[in-house]
Amino acid sequence: MNGFDALYAKAKDRIHALSELPSIKEESIEQMLEGRGIERRDFMKWAAGITAMLALPSQFTPLFAEAAKMADRVPLVWLHMAECTGCSESLIRSDAPTIDSLIFDYISLEYHETLMAAAGWQAEENLNNALKKYAGRYVLLVEGGVPTAMNGQYLTLGPQGRTGLSVVTEAAKDAAAIFSIGTCAAFGGIQAAAPNPTGAKGVDKVISQPVINVPGCPPSASNIVGTLMHFLLFGTLPALDRYHRPKWAYGNRIHDLCERRGHFDAGEFVESFGDDGAKGGWCLYKQGCKGPYTFNNCSTERFNQHVNWPIGAGHGCMGCSEPDFWDTMGPLEKPIDSHLVMGLNSTVDKIGTTLLTATLVGIGAHAVASIFMNKNDENEG
Amino acid sequence: MGNRRVVIDPITRIEGHLRIEVEVDENNVVQKAYSSSTLWRGIELILKGRDPRDAGLMSQRICGVCTYSHYKAGVEAVENALGVEAPYNAQLVRSLLNESLYMHDHVVHFYHLHGLDWVDVVSALSADPEKASRLAFKYSDLPIATGTDELTAVQKRVKEFVDKGQLGPFANAYWGNKTYKFSPEQNLIALSHYLKALEVQRVAAQMFAIFGAKQPHPQSLVVGGVTCVRDILSPTRLAQWKEKYKIVKDFIDRAYQADIVMAAEAYGTEETVLGGVGVKNFLAADAFMLNRTENLFQSGYIKNGDLSQAYDIDDMKIEEDVTHAWYKGTTPLQPYDGVTEPEYTGFIDGDTVNGEAKIIDETQKYSWVKAPRYDGEAMEVGPLSCLLVNYARGNKKVQDEVGAFLKRTGLPVGALFTTLGRTAARMLQTKLISDNAITTFNSLVENIKSDDSTYTKFEIDPSQEYTGRFIGEVPRGTLSHWVRIKDGVIENYQAVVPTTWNAGPMDGNGTIGPYEASLVGLKLEDPTKPLEVLRVIHSFDPCMSCSVHVMDMKGVELSEFKVNPMSSGTSC
């Protein structure tokens, strides 16, 4: 069996397995969509979009539509560790009027502190019930880093004052899959920046189960939903890079598909915020843009239903989906020190000197960056 | 029989991690209340030794809800220290972003976080949609999302949800509590607006992202100005902002305002929402540049609920007390000179109305939040403070808006000093901001015709020491950031945030803060289902990550800190 057939068979098996599970909600997703005025054609368009986003052949589109219909078989438990709630906020903003958000609305959200009506003892009861009732079936999503110093007591939860560390460890035990949503859950995030006073760590550093990292500060809603859809369709983890990020979303550098890339190659740089280069939309590398070292799909997905993104708004990428970026990429509005990037800076300086060779040098500069990044990028698990 | 302890942890539908404990007497009346934040992250410590230009983007990660508040504060505190003035265009864009944030944040707070304290979802099921549709006209000349067919559909959706007994995020709440006062028809109207608001808030976030790059966590401000020069010079982008602004403003006018008028009518005799202002001192800051000469709101403070006089703020009278906070020391300190080290003492075993649990030992330290004081006194901050201070200042826009609301609802001025008043004030503030944001926008459009500057160059001299602060108004109240810069890097950083003012524990003099004071005297229907406590606390719009960030190891180098036993679990 070739690769395509194997993958296709896997998806079919998965849908069959899902269909055997009892539905948590009785109304089918089609009825639900119909009730909201969404036609089947729009639904199929959405499924095609997800298929393309995950870089799968178009034959998978009907399978996604099928998988989406089974979404209500998967209960979600969302935990908040050391965080700012930005990832939940990102999720709440998710694509109107398309149906990403409806899928989320429709998936059975069993525990989510920002959104749930219950509080206190009743909230804790909801969590315990969900972990028990849906053992082996629920998807665990974690937002925030896990404080580990002082025996984890920098974060306690619930009437019994349990540490965040113990809650996340217990919830991970019987989860069907675990997603670290955002850079804090994936890599520790801002609280893990030096000197990391609370010993904050990414979820995968404190539990033994496999974790899919969906970093970003915050990640876009489409990266969260797309990753979930992959799990729904195949029932397995997607292809991951060495940092356990799904390759379909984090496979390219920001720089690779940047709308200002042409200016980089032409050696045209913003020299000062607000100058003519800034007004012309030139490359922000010299203002500290970390696009060449950052793996994410912001260049194409953007934010808030494609309205804008940092580079669009004239600010360089700060590398927020990379591990330890607060420490390794700061100061954020300056290019990374040349000793770290093997001469990329000096190459950029040359670009300013002669327009004639600018394009060639620009390409050369990119090649240098590529060599540097490939060290991290290749041979991933 | 002695007092009984009620523990509520987690307080949900807020940002972050909060525990509230109250002691009730035999009549279930709250005698004492304790507010505790249960997470500490240490962001200020992390800022030490960094490039001052990183302060905005890093301090922004204090909060992803009021996402822009700390970004602007961090950038402007550094500008204040360096003596840099951003160009007029940049100042207008920053003001416009703040206005856009409020229009988003307050709508989400009222409908999605606070709303379920006022609206009984289950009761909406027995409503008559046709009757409800007619009723909506009582509160708005042009109601939104309340046609009979729309209300019928909303009811059907929720009914199916409830019938299945699988309530998802609505499960196990305090439905049926007798202090819910809306009629089934009123509940249905509000429920329909809850769903509509989910759509509108996405538009509000887009409106913000046009000049902010993204929402949450925008990225278009820098020390010296803004970076979104292409967006403000593009007529298309300007038009997009205006279109989205109209949609959000429309919802604020036709739904948010109407629902608060409806709540004022229904809850105007409910005793548990007619108290809830225990600290009667109110503090507010300048905010919302409309043009070169006019700000929408002015700063100041009032004392003991006296609206006849407002006083000017003296920065140096702001101090933070840690007597009952999990930090070493007992001497209140001005934020420029704050010295703080964690000293966690945890909870003790105790009995509660729900059984055994961990409880607060109030004689000791019991929260990660500090207790800010102005001239030694506790202050409430937030939308209510903003309106009261500006009312006392004689701000005509505020006086007219507040006066019209009181007249329309038939409530006396005293009704403002309540939980209901605090919730109404948030709507009135949103209304004032949404009415006036267009002035800021027009000022920008006018100015860019002759001036396209967005950035002022500056230099940081490593041989010089700098000190600066930002004090301004953000959705949850008055925010200040304080920075010292030495050797070209941040030597010291402090943020005194709205939720810290409101949620702080008792100070060294035994004075309690607004959260704790607002709960005393509250009667609970059923202490095991303390809806009334949630309603009071949510009316402040808690934002705990904002309030817990505080760490200042003044004089301790980062390299030394690495061997501090407190950080023994630090990952590499």
Side-chain angles (χ1 to χ4, degrees):
Chain A
M1 201 186 287
N2 66 29
F4 174 86
D5 290 341
L7 198 61
Y8 195 83
K10 195 176 203 175
K12 292 287 274 187
D13 287 350
R14 169 70 177 161
I15 285 166
H16 179 71
L18 274 174
S19 68
E20 301 277 290
L21 292 172
S23 171
I24 289 167
K25 294 177 182 165
E26 285 171 9
E27 183 191 25
S28 79
I29 198 162
E30 279 176 315
Q31 288 168 325
M32 189 270 295
L33 294 174
E34 209 173 284
R36 298 187 191 192
I38 293 169
E39 291 174 12
R40 182 167 166 78
R41 200 178 50 172
D42 294 325
F43 180 58
M44 293 310 290
K45 247 164 69 183
W46 171 84
I50 289 281
T51 310
M53 196 168 77
L54 293 175
L56 288 166
S58 60
Q59 290 94 321
F60 280 82
T61 296
L63 296 185
F64 268 111
E66 282 295 308
K69 288 179 204 165
M70 308 287 177
D72 64 328
R73 270 110 169 134
V74 180
L76 300 190
V77 171
W78 182 296
L79 295 180
H80 289 83
M81 295 287 121
E83 45 79 37
C84 74
T85 312
C87 299
S88 288
E89 290 279 328
S90 175
L91 181 70
I92 295 165
R93 316 271 191 281
S94 100
D95 297 87
T98 71
I99 62 176
D100 287 15
S101 58
L102 301 184
I103 296 286
F104 238 98
D105 184 21
Y106 195 69
I107 280 173
S108 185
L109 192 58
E110 297 295 317
Y111 186 87
H112 188 297
E113 284 169 25
T114 319
L115 297 173
M116 68 196 296
W121 295 76
Q122 286 80 6
E124 194 179 55
E125 191 175 284
N126 285 3
L127 176 62
N128 293 337
N129 286 346
L131 299 190
K132 220 177 285 167
K133 190 171 170 192
Y134 303 116
R137 282 178 57 200
Y138 61 86
V139 172
L140 176 67
L141 301 108
V142 185
E143 175 177 4
V146 186
T148 62
M150 201 172 67
N151 298 319
Q153 291 178 103
Y154 282 114
L155 167 62
T156 64
L157 289 166
Q160 307 302 338
R162 298 179 61 197
T163 62
L165 180 61
S166 71
V167 172
V168 82
T169 308
E170 192 201 338
K173 244 185 321 188
D174 292 322
I178 303 165
F179 298 113
S180 281
I181 303 297
T183 298
C184 294
F187 309 126
I190 181 87
Q191 48 276 319
N196 191 354
T198 60
K201 293 181 179 181
V203 172
D204 62 0
K205 296 285 191 297
V206 302
I207 61 171
S208 52
Q209 292 87 345
V211 172
I212 304 173
N213 288 327
V214 188
C217 192
S220 65
S222 55
N223 283 5
I224 302 172
V225 175
T227 305
L228 263 178
M229 289 312 299
H230 187 285
F231 174 76
L232 281 176
L233 185 58
F234 298 113
T236 56
L237 309 187
L240 304 175
D241 72 5
R242 66 177 299 197
Y243 297 123
H244 295 178
R245 301 175 294 200
K247 279 186 171 170
W248 66 266
Y250 300 88
N252 282 315
R253 275 170 291 249
I254 299 285
H255 191 59
D256 295 338
L257 297 168
C258 180
E259 64 199 21
R260 301 188 183 212
R261 177 58 190 271
H263 292 289
F264 178 89
D265 292 346
E268 295 170 337
F269 295 94
V270 174
E271 299 290 339
S272 167
F273 290 118
D275 67 6
D276 285 344
K279 286 167 201 153
W282 289 8
C283 176
L284 290 157
Y285 178 78
K286 286 187 167 185
Q287 301 311 313
C289 182
K290 305 303 186 296
Y293 329 113
T294 305
F295 289 77
N296 208 331
N297 54 4
C298 311
S299 319
T300 47
E301 287 298 319
R302 301 189 177 198
F303 291 87
N304 303 101
Q305 294 78 53
H306 310 280
V307 164
N308 209 348
W309 66 305
I311 289 171
H315 194 293
C317 163
M318 66 171 190
C320 75
S321 50
E322 296 303 310
D324 305 322
F325 76 97
W326 293 111
D327 293 333
T328 58
M329 299 207 193
L332 300 165
E333 282 149 17
K334 276 179 166 177
I336 289 179
D337 285 349
S338 47
H339 69 277
L340 290 174
V341 200
M342 301 164 116
L344 180 61
N345 256 10
S346 56
T347 312
V348 170
D349 286 342
K350 276 184 219 153
I351 290 166
T353 60
T354 162
L355 195 61
L356 187 66
T357 56
T359 304
L360 283 173
V361 178
I363 291 166
H366 177 247
V368 172
S370 300
I371 292 161
F372 173 71
M373 292 314 298
N374 280 344
K375 287 200 300 184
N376 290 336
D377 188 27
E378 293 303 314
N379 306 317
E380 292 148 356
Chain B
M1 189 172 138
N3 291 344
R4 291 165 303 148
R5 185 76 66 126
V6 178
V7 173
I8 313 167
D9 182 357
I11 297 280
T12 47
R13 284 181 282 125
I14 63 165
E15 194 297 318
H17 301 278
L18 172 66
R19 160 183 285 237
I20 294 287
E21 293 187 20
V22 297
E23 281 179 23
V24 293
D25 65 9
E26 64 277 12
N27 298 315
N28 294 336
V29 175
V30 174
Q31 305 298 309
K32 286 181 176 166
Y34 311 108
S35 160
S36 170
S37 170
T38 58
L39 166 68
W40 182 70
R41 301 196 295 153
I43 289 176
E44 284 163 327
L45 173 67
I46 291 162
L47 274 159
K48 286 164 70 78
R50 308 236 175 205
D51 190 305
R53 286 168 291 190
D54 286 359
L57 286 167
M58 294 195 85
S59 66
Q60 175 177 189
R61 267 63 194 184
I62 287 172
C63 185
V65 174
C66 49
T67 176
Y68 172 69
S69 306
H70 297 283
Y71 188 20
K72 180 169 181 282
V75 165
E76 294 192 0
V78 172
E79 285 176 349
N80 181 253
L82 301 177
V84 182
E85 188 178 0
Y88 183 47
N89 283 331
Q91 293 178 34
L92 287 169
V93 167
R94 290 177 184 180
S95 181
L96 202 57
L97 285 169
N98 207 21
E99 287 153 355
S100 304
L101 174 67
Y102 270 75
M103 289 171 69
H104 181 275
D105 201 55
H106 283 353
V107 166
V108 169
H109 175 260
F110 178 67
Y111 286 99
H112 306 123
L113 305 183
H114 196 19
L116 300 180
D117 303 331
W118 305 91
V119 180
D120 186 335
V121 173
V122 177
S123 152
L125 301 180
S126 54
D128 175 347
E130 206 178 318
K131 204 169 134 195
S133 185
R134 280 199 305 275
L135 180 66
F137 284 93
K138 184 174 172 192
Y139 308 108
S140 171
D141 294 338
L142 286 168
I144 197 165
T146 56
T148 305
D149 53 346
E150 204 159 356
L151 292 177
T152 305
V154 167
Q155 198 178 36
K156 183 168 169 283
R157 268 179 68 196
V158 178
K159 191 168 179 350
E160 283 165 2
F161 211 53
V162 172
D163 284 349
K164 280 179 286 191
Q166 188 68 38
L167 284 164
F170 296 122
N172 221 357
Y174 307 139
W175 312 125
N177 185 297
K178 285 186 182 138
T179 66
Y180 275 122
K181 291 294 171 189
F182 278 148
S183 68
E185 283 71 28
Q186 289 172 324
N187 277 314
L188 184 58
I189 293 169
L191 187 59
S192 180
H193 288 164
Y194 174 103
L195 297 171
K196 185 76 184 168
L198 271 173
E199 291 171 30
V200 171
Q201 62 93 22
R202 290 189 199 106
V203 179
Q206 292 171 346
M207 177 174 92
F208 181 96
I210 287 169
F211 302 116
K214 62 192 177 92
Q215 213 275 33
H217 291 327
Q219 207 162 319
S220 66
L221 265 53
V222 285
V223 174
V226 296
T227 65
C228 53
V229 58
R230 283 162 67 76
D231 297 306
I232 68 172
L233 294 177
S234 155
T236 310
R237 294 300 254 176
L238 294 169
Q240 278 177 358
W241 184 89
K242 203 167 173 179
E243 282 307 302
K244 293 181 194 301
Y245 161 81
K246 278 188 205 159
I247 293 168
V248 183
K249 180 170 167 25
D250 197 42
F251 183 80
I252 290 165
D253 290 344
R254 292 164 62 198
Y256 190 6
Q257 186 173 215
D259 289 344
I260 293 293
V261 171
M262 185 168 85
E265 180 192 278
Y267 282 86
T269 55
E270 171 50 47
E271 284 186 9
T272 59
V273 301
L274 298 179
V277 176
V279 170
K280 294 197 164 58
N281 306 316
F282 297 91
L283 181 85
D286 267 315
F288 305 114
M289 180 185 221
L290 302 178
N291 51 49
R292 285 189 195 273
T293 58
E294 197 186 356
N295 282 359
L296 179 57
F297 299 131
Q298 285 81 48
S299 70
Y301 69 98
I302 60 172
K303 294 175 75 169
N304 302 317
D306 178 7
L307 288 170
S308 69
Q309 196 171 4
Y311 306 89
D312 291 344
I313 296 171
D314 173 358
D315 292 4
M316 300 314 283
K317 288 186 177 171
I318 295 174
E319 290 181 327
E320 291 193 291
D321 181 290
V322 296
T323 308
H324 287 278
W326 281 315
Y327 307 97
K328 286 180 188 160
T330 50
T331 313
L333 293 169
Q334 209 279 340
Y336 277 137
D337 300 314
V339 179
T340 325
E341 289 178 63
E343 185 178 71
Y344 184 70
T345 52
F347 300 104
I348 55 173
D349 293 322
D351 282 331
T352 77
V353 296
N354 291 74
E356 285 184 6
K358 294 289 179 194
I359 62 168
I360 282 169
D361 178 359
E362 65 277 9
T363 65
Q364 304 294 316
K365 295 172 180 290
Y366 61 86
S367 177
W368 286 113
V369 178
K370 289 179 171 183
R373 295 291 179 259
Y374 183 82
D375 203 8
E377 302 213 47
M379 295 270 159
E380 178 171 333
V381 299
L384 177 60
S385 300
C386 175
L387 292 197
L388 293 175
V389 166
N390 279 276
Y391 197 94
R393 281 269 183 225
N395 181 319
K396 194 166 178 321
K397 288 188 167 101
V398 170
Q399 287 184 339
D400 287 353
E401 194 70 43
V402 171
F405 177 76
L406 293 176
K407 194 175 167 199
R408 184 165 179 201
T409 55
L411 294 170
V413 175
L416 292 171
F417 295 89
T418 63
T419 296
L420 178 65
R422 193 179 289 116
T423 297
R426 187 169 293 106
M427 179 280 289
L428 291 168
Q429 191 192 37
T430 317
K431 176 86 172 72
L432 279 157
I433 289 165
S434 64
D435 284 348
N436 287 281
I438 197 68
T439 307
T440 307
F441 178 77
N442 289 338
S443 298
L444 178 67
V445 172
E446 199 51 43
N447 194 61
I448 54 176
K449 288 177 187 168
S450 58
D451 165 21
D452 62 3
S453 61
T454 48
Y455 179 71
T456 305
K457 279 190 186 174
F458 64 93
E459 291 210 349
I460 301 173
D461 179 354
S463 66
Q464 220 183 310
E465 290 189 33
Y466 304 93
T467 305
R469 97 288 181 262
F470 162 88
I471 299 183
E473 203 66 11
V474 300
R476 281 155 199 82
T478 305
L479 172 68
S480 56
H481 279 212
W482 312 73
V483 63
R484 283 178 187 273
I485 299 167
K486 195 181 171 186
D487 300 330
V489 297
I490 294 170
E491 189 205 18
N492 211 335
Y493 204 93
Q494 288 275 315
V496 183
V497 314
T499 299
T500 314
W501 283 101
N502 292 335
M506 198 186 306
D507 66 21
N509 297 324
T511 305
I512 57 175
Y515 278 17
E516 295 181 349
S518 69
L519 292 169
V520 173
L522 183 70
K523 186 173 164 55
L524 308 186
E525 177 76 23
D526 175 358
T528 65
K529 295 177 180 172
L531 171 71
E532 301 88 340
V533 173
L534 291 184
R535 198 183 278 137
V536 172
I537 294 299
H538 283 153
S539 76
F540 286 95
D541 196 359
C543 200
M544 302 318 293
S545 283
C546 280
S547 63
V548 176
H549 48 264
V550 187
M551 181 67 190
D552 175 358
M553 302 286 283
K554 189 169 173 346
V556 180
E557 296 299 319
L558 294 183
S559 55
E560 288 178 37
F561 189 83
K562 280 177 183 160
V563 295
N564 185 318
M566 293 307 295
S567 60
S568 56
T570 301
S571 66
C572 51

